[in-house]
Amino acid sequence: MLNRLLSEVKGVQFEYLKAVTGGLDKNAVLEDLMSAHGKDVWNFAFFLTKSSVIADDITQDVFVKVFEKMYTYRGQSSVKTWLLAITRNTAMDAMRSAWIRRVTTLPSWFQGKTHPSAEQEVLSQIVTEQVWSDVLSLPRKLREILLLHIHHGLPIKEVSALLEISEGTVKSRLHRARAAMNRKLDQDDDGEGPV
């Protein structure tokens, strides 16, 4: 009987929700609403958020709210309008949330190229490996200064305190380490070194 009632009223765009008092199966009603209006809800959520992932979450939230508040539908508007109003409110709440503002990324068209090509990745890895090889080939005192100051970002004063040497010695070693690295990189660019 329920299926006959549902099939008869589908043409009236779920007007039966106005009179639902608890006699109809909420799961069946929700399933009908989702199949009839799920795509509209998702499209509207996507239009508002410009994110398919967030639109998925909003659509799920909308139908959870509809399931919980199904019997509060007053019939003052069509069911579709009611669902889209819930969708809009849910989307606006989501966009105002601090979590969305922290997590939402720029759209892919704004980011430009999202992934480097395989060739660029390989070349970048080769260059990185060569630079690290050159740094590791420096004498320990010069290598140590470069790693602490440049790689770890410690100021000269902190490097001096850490190594228990004067700031002048740190500056001198840093200058020598940079000069040695420049020579090594120049050799690599000229084709004299590996790569």
Side-chain angles (χ1 to χ4, degrees), residues 14-109:
F14 300 97
E15 293 297 320
Y16 62 88
L17 280 179
K18 289 187 230 176
V20 172
T21 60
L24 294 178
D25 180 19
K26 285 176 72 172
N27 293 327
V29 173
L30 182 67
E31 189 176 320
D32 287 343
L33 288 172
M34 289 173 65
S35 64
H37 298 293
K39 193 170 187 169
D40 293 328
V41 168
W42 188 90
N43 286 335
F44 190 48
F46 179 77
F47 173 76
L48 293 171
T49 62
K50 298 180 184 177
S51 168
S52 60
V53 174
I54 297 171
D56 290 342
D57 291 342
I58 289 170
T59 301
Q60 185 175 3
D61 289 348
V62 166
F63 285 109
V64 166
K65 288 177 183 179
V66 167
F67 184 79
E68 292 170 349
K69 306 286 185 182
M70 188 178 297
Y71 297 133
T72 64
Y73 175 69
R74 294 181 302 233
Q76 295 175 333
S77 63
S78 70
V79 172
K80 183 175 182 178
T81 303
W82 179 60
L83 289 171
L84 294 180
I86 295 170
T87 303
R88 183 180 186 283
N89 292 336
T90 304
M92 292 301 143
D93 289 345
M95 296 309 291
R96 279 191 292 264
S97 78
W99 183 83
I100 290 290
R101 288 195 307 264
R102 283 193 310 265
V103 173
T104 303
T105 59
L106 295 173
S108 59
W109 56 264

Side-chain angles (χ1 to χ4, degrees), residues 48-184:
L48 293 171
T49 62
K50 298 180 184 177
S51 168
S52 60
V53 174
I54 297 171
D56 290 342
D57 291 342
I58 289 170
T59 301
Q60 185 175 3
D61 289 348
V62 166
F63 285 109
V64 166
K65 288 177 183 179
V66 167
F67 184 79
E68 292 170 349
K69 306 286 185 182
M70 188 178 297
Y71 297 133
T72 64
Y73 175 69
R74 294 181 302 233
Q76 295 175 333
S77 63
S78 70
V79 172
K80 183 175 182 178
T81 303
W82 179 60
L83 289 171
L84 294 180
I86 295 170
T87 303
R88 183 180 186 283
N89 292 336
T90 304
M92 292 301 143
D93 289 345
M95 296 309 291
R96 279 191 292 264
S97 78
W99 183 83
I100 290 290
R101 288 195 307 264
R102 283 193 310 265
V103 173
T104 303
T105 59
L106 295 173
S108 59
W109 56 264
F110 188 75
Q111 292 174 350
K113 193 170 186 179
T114 57
H115 300 288
S117 69
E119 295 157 340
Q120 288 174 328
E121 286 182 8
V122 169
L123 289 174
S124 176
Q125 184 178 4
I126 289 171
V127 169
T128 301
E129 288 174 5
Q130 184 59 47
V131 168
W132 277 110
S133 175
D134 289 346
V135 168
L136 293 174
S137 70
L138 291 173
R140 183 191 56 80
K141 290 180 180 183
L142 301 181
R143 181 177 64 233
E144 189 174 53
I145 296 290
L146 266 183
L147 290 173
L148 291 172
H149 182 65
I150 294 175
H151 183 69
H152 294 292
L154 296 179
I156 290 176
K157 186 174 186 172
E158 289 182 28
V159 173
S160 169
L162 182 71
L163 298 178
E164 299 177 351
I165 57 176
S166 71
E167 289 182 31
T169 304
V170 171
K171 290 177 185 177
S172 172
R173 289 182 185 174
L174 186 57
H175 177 73
R176 289 186 5 235
R178 285 179 174 158
M181 281 303 295
N182 284 335
R183 283 193 302 276
K184 288 180 180 286

Side-chain angles (χ1 to χ4, degrees), residues 4-24:
R4 186 174 54 82
L5 175 64
L6 290 176
S7 63
E8 288 176 6
V9 293
K10 273 188 182 177
V12 191
Q13 198 178 38
F14 300 97
E15 293 297 320
Y16 62 88
L17 280 179
K18 289 187 230 176
V20 172
T21 60
L24 294 178

